[in-house]
Amino acid sequence: MDLSEHDRFPGRTHHYLAAEKLRTLVANWVALAAKQAGMKLRREIYESGDSHDVTISKICDAHPPSQSYRVTGRAPLQKEMKIARWFLAILCASATSLFAADELALRLQPALEAITPDGMLAHIKVVASDDFEGRSPGTKGEELSVKYIADQFKQIGLKPGNPDGTYTQEVPLAGIKSDPKMSFTIGDKTTELKFPDDFVASSARIQPEIKTDKSDVVFVGYGIVAPEYGWNDYKDVDIRGKTLLMLIGDPPIPDPKDSSKLDDKMFKGKAMTYYGRWTYKYEIAAQKGAAAAVIIHETGPAGYPYSVVKTSWAKENYEIDSPNKNMDAVEVRSWITLDVAKKLLADCGQDFDALKKSAITREFRPVTLNAQANIDIKQQLRSFKSHNVIGKLEGSDAKLRDEYVIYTAHWDHLGRHPELQGDQIFNGAIDNASGVASVIQLGAAFTKLNPPPKRSMLFIATTAEEAGLLGAKFYAEHPLYPLEKTLADINIDTVNPWGKTRDIEDLSDNNSMLDDMLAAAAKRNGRVMTPNSQPEKGSFYRADHFEFSKRGVPALYTGGGKDFIGKPADFGQQKKDDYTAHHYH
Ligand SMILES: [Zn+2]
């Protein structure tokens, strides 16, 4: 889960639980998450022989990676493939004898036995220990984490995942600490804003100073270009060099038949699409050549209060240190509070509510305000190397082994915060030592399969997820094996520690056929896959798999279920809310 929902309480759950109790909990996780979401899903692929694999492969062929955001909807072709797969599955099933099923179970047994509660716990205890100092990229915590995971990959029999013969992929990062000044000039009056109470501003460009003077301010509504919805908030207005004032979230368009709810046909109704994320807003601003993108903060559509924005953006943040020094990013990315925005608009003779109302129609046109923005950001920069850790299990089929299935889990967490009194280490036992442990255990399990899977498998512990999915982004931009040949990314980011559930939540929002496969795998295990219970939070866009999905690789991301066996009906939601309020970041 990423940094944008940062709050102050560490995720050091293991501090609060006696080891024995945790051991019992972990026993439950294993069955629940690692085996069910991972092993059993893979087993589904494995058991069904070529038919499912071929089908997934076809989807990949039909959707070569590109920059378009196809994750916002299912392509019709996928539906055709779905039907094709159904027929193939029937053919497969009719050819499977009971004897073959028994033989298969025997063959799988050693793999399933490789996943144990003690094994999970052992990894979590090491990776989330105080020695690892909260695993901040570029620190001693990174050195220890990378070494531990690489050693484990080697020990369980995975080959070096980097073709250069190592278990690591170097990820060049830049630390950027911004000290911004921002003012607006209306007529002959200039108003200074207060950092960080009124606004935050920074740049992904790796430059010591960013300066924008007297840049015209244009209100661009939600700042979205979405041809599939017939939507364009820029309509022929040249906004190069200008400062864009934007709303956060998707346009909340009422259902024409029932205005009490949102129109499911537009921006997925209540669910958040990628167009609603702040990352999208800054990306489109860069594409349009704007000088600055200023997002108006609103707690509801953002999903968190301004205090979260303030703590996230006022500290040092990381970017990938690209050869072009990120000069293709928008110069200035900023948030301002709703109150400041309302006052600015009022000073320009505009009304926030009226503008917002006009922005939820297709007819909206950008509104040039009689204001100019002056922004000056001094940036403290440092460059350092971080690492993804990668293990590989070579496929057993000569024809198919150059195709890949990836498991990812980020190893990094929030590190150590010396300004805190008492315990300063954010251990991140759940987020995401639990995911790292799962990936190591899954790797161990797959090495026990005989014969090994036909296709090759990659196990990747990514860096700098908390800073904006940077390790996954770097891998996806510099893949060690072609993305065209990468059939799936299955991402594990936090594992449910509270007990067994009847359900498993699919956070992938039905973006690929992997969701159908998860549903089938859950059913096979007497469980049920439930859809994302809070699609308005946009979870799918906030973890590593999204960097793969964005480039056309089918991705799967699951959450723990909510229907706990032997617990009251609201137990799951309560636990989740408690974690978000007190333990998450
Ligand atoms: Zn996470």
Side-chain angles (χ1 to χ4, degrees), residues 1-2 410 412-413 430-432 465-466 492-494 542-543 557 579 584-585:
M1 299 188 206
D2 78 20
H410 71 89
D412 67 298
H413 194 59
I430 290 181
D431 186 9
N432 188 28
E465 190 272 355
E466 304 285 6
I492 304 177
D493 192 346
T494 77
R542 286 165 38 195
Y557 181 40
Y579 176 72
Y584 174 51
H585 293 196

Side-chain angles (χ1 to χ4, degrees), residues 95-155:
T96 306
S97 70
L98 274 177
F99 174 75
D102 285 350
E103 195 187 51
L104 186 71
L106 272 177
R107 248 189 311 134
L108 286 172
Q109 203 53 35
L112 295 174
E113 280 169 4
I115 299 175
T116 67
D118 286 344
M120 283 286 284
L121 184 61
H123 296 313
I124 292 169
K125 274 182 162 174
V126 175
V127 176
S129 67
D130 281 353
D131 279 355
F132 281 56
E133 295 183 345
R135 306 185 301 282
S136 185
T139 65
K140 174 192 153 204
E142 157 149 9
E143 266 172 53
L144 292 175
S145 303
V146 168
K147 183 173 186 320
Y148 180 79
I149 299 164
D151 285 351
Q152 290 301 317
F153 281 173
K154 193 172 178 182
Q155 207 173 310

Side-chain angles (χ1 to χ4, degrees), residues 424-444:
Q424 301 171 336
I425 297 173
F426 288 60
N427 299 80
I430 290 181
D431 186 9
N432 188 28
S434 69
V436 170
S438 303
V439 164
I440 296 171
Q441 290 257 291
L442 284 162

Side-chain angles (χ1 to χ4, degrees), residues 443-465:
F446 279 112
T447 59
K448 297 281 189 297
L449 283 177
N450 188 18
K454 291 176 182 168
R455 293 178 168 80
S456 296
M457 307 205 50
L458 299 174
F459 300 87
I460 309 182
T462 54
T463 181
E465 190 272 355

Side-chain angles (χ1 to χ4, degrees), residues 289-579:
V294 180
I295 297 174
I296 301 170
H297 178 266
E298 290 181 275
T299 301
Y304 39 84
Y306 181 74
S307 58
V308 172
V309 174
K310 204 161 91 171
T311 41
S312 298
W313 290 84
K315 61 180 182 53
E316 181 187 53
N317 281 303
Y318 304 141
E319 296 294 337
I320 292 174
D321 191 349
S322 309
N324 71 356
K325 298 292 167 193
N326 303 335
M327 291 303 282
D328 50 350
V330 67
E331 242 180 308
V332 177
R333 45 188 191 181
S334 163
W335 291 79
I336 57 173
T337 65
L338 182 56
D339 286 346
V340 167
K342 281 182 171 171
K343 181 163 184 312
L344 168 68
L345 289 165
D347 289 348
C348 293
Q350 298 281 351
D351 175 63
F352 173 79
D353 294 321
L355 281 178
K356 190 176 173 184
K357 203 171 164 205
S358 73
I360 60 169
T361 64
R362 281 199 184 97
E363 289 70 40
F364 170 80
R365 298 188 74 83
V367 179
T368 301
L369 305 171
N370 58 340
Q372 292 176 319
N374 316 294
I375 304 165
D376 188 357
I377 309 174
K378 302 267 194 306
Q379 308 210 102
Q380 278 175 46
L381 309 171
R382 67 183 178 103
S383 290
F384 62 97
K385 307 282 186 225
S386 190
H387 300 84
N388 292 326
V389 190
I390 308 174
K392 181 182 176 185
L393 178 63
E394 185 102 321
S396 58
D397 185 300
K399 279 197 202 114
L400 299 175
R401 68 165 60 114
D402 66 343
E403 295 183 349
Y404 301 86
V405 172
I406 302 181
Y407 278 94
T408 44
H410 71 89
W411 61 255
D412 67 298
H413 194 59
L414 303 174
R416 174 178 211 143
H417 290 221
E419 76 280 7
L420 293 181
Q421 296 287 320
D423 189 352
Q424 301 171 336
I425 297 173
F426 288 60
N427 299 80
I430 290 181
D431 186 9
N432 188 28
S434 69
V436 170
S438 303
V439 164
I440 296 171
Q441 290 257 291
L442 284 162
F446 279 112
T447 59
K448 297 281 189 297
L449 283 177
N450 188 18
K454 291 176 182 168
R455 293 178 168 80
S456 296
M457 307 205 50
L458 299 174
F459 300 87
I460 309 182
T462 54
T463 181
E465 190 272 355
E466 304 285 6
L469 323 181
L470 300 180
K473 183 179 180 198
F474 187 82
Y475 181 89
E477 284 175 352
H478 306 87
L480 298 173
Y481 306 91
L483 288 191
E484 294 83 355
K485 299 267 188 183
T486 302
L487 306 190
D489 173 49
I490 299 164
N491 187 39
I492 304 177
D493 192 346
T494 77
V495 173
N496 161 30
W498 300 299
K500 289 186 179 177
T501 62
R502 292 181 189 87
D503 57 331
I504 181 160
E505 192 176 359
D506 181 17
L507 301 175
S508 315
D509 297 344
N510 217 16
N511 281 310
S512 79
M513 280 172 51
L514 290 173
D515 305 277
D516 300 339
M517 297 176 74
L518 176 67
K523 196 172 169 201
R524 189 187 292 245
N525 286 279
R527 301 176 68 203
V528 59
M529 182 190 88
T530 48
N532 189 349
S533 60
Q534 292 175 301
E536 68 279 11
K537 285 199 165 180
S539 306
F540 185 71
Y541 315 110
R542 286 165 38 195
D544 279 340
H545 59 276
F546 181 59
E547 292 296 336
F548 291 89
S549 183
K550 213 173 169 183
R551 291 164 182 83
V553 177
L556 187 73
Y557 181 40
T558 59
K562 287 219 182 96
D563 184 5
F564 282 79
I565 295 168
K567 297 279 173 21
D570 59 351
F571 177 83
Q573 190 60 51
Q574 257 181 33
K575 284 285 173 194
K576 215 171 166 177
D577 292 347
D578 177 64
Y579 176 72

